[in-house]
Amino acid sequence: MREGAQVTPVDAGPRYEVFHTDCPARDVVDHVTSKWGIWVLISLRSNSLRFYELRDSIQGISEKMLAQTLRALVQDGLVWREVEPTTPPQVTYGLTEFGKDISEPLTDLFDRITEQLPPRTTE
C-alpha cells in the first residue's frame, strides 16, 4: 500500500452513450461545433457582450443565425443571458463556467491554427 492520502475513485454515475443518436451530449457537441457556435464561444471568451456587439464581432453571421445559435447555447448551459428592462430591452450574453471550460480548448485550437498559418500577404 502506498503511503500518504488514500485515493478513492468517485463513482460519477452512468456515462453518456455519445455514439447513440439519442444521447443529449451529442446535441451539445453539435451546437458547440456548429458553423457559428464556435465563433460565439470564442467571441465571448474574454468578456460579456450585447447582442449587436456580438453580431458585429462575428463577420458574416445574420441576426437570425446569431439568435438561433445563442438560444441553443443558452439552453445547453454554455451561455448566460441577461435582459435589462429598458426601452428597447438590452440583452447581454456571457459564458457560464461550463461555457468557459468548453471554450478554452476551442480558443487554444484557434490560436494554434492562426500561429501556424503562413503570414498574410497584402495585394
Side-chain angles (χ1 to χ4, degrees), residues 48-51 80-84 90-94:
S48 57
L49 296 171
R50 291 202 172 122
F51 182 88
W80 54 260
R81 178 181 188 265
E82 181 180 70
V83 180
E84 297 175 36
Q90 294 181 347
V91 184
T92 305
Y93 295 90

Side-chain angles (χ1 to χ4, degrees), residues 38-77:
I38 290 173
W39 298 115
V40 168
L41 294 173
I42 289 174
S43 293
L44 292 173
R45 72 183 181 262
S46 4
N47 57 352
S48 57
L49 296 171
R50 291 202 172 122
F51 182 88
Y52 290 107
E53 292 172 325
L54 190 53
R55 186 203 61 198
D56 292 345
S57 74
I58 306 171
Q59 292 185 5
I61 192 168
S62 68
E63 287 186 22
K64 178 183 176 183
M65 285 309 303
L66 179 57
Q68 288 177 355
T69 303
L70 285 167
R71 193 174 305 116
L73 295 173
V74 167
Q75 185 176 3
D76 293 338

Side-chain angles (χ1 to χ4, degrees), residues 15-30:
R15 303 286 301 171
Y16 284 99
E17 296 293 332
V18 295
F19 291 104
H20 191 280
T21 56
D22 294 335
C23 179
R26 284 180 77 151
D27 291 336
V28 176
V29 171
D30 287 345

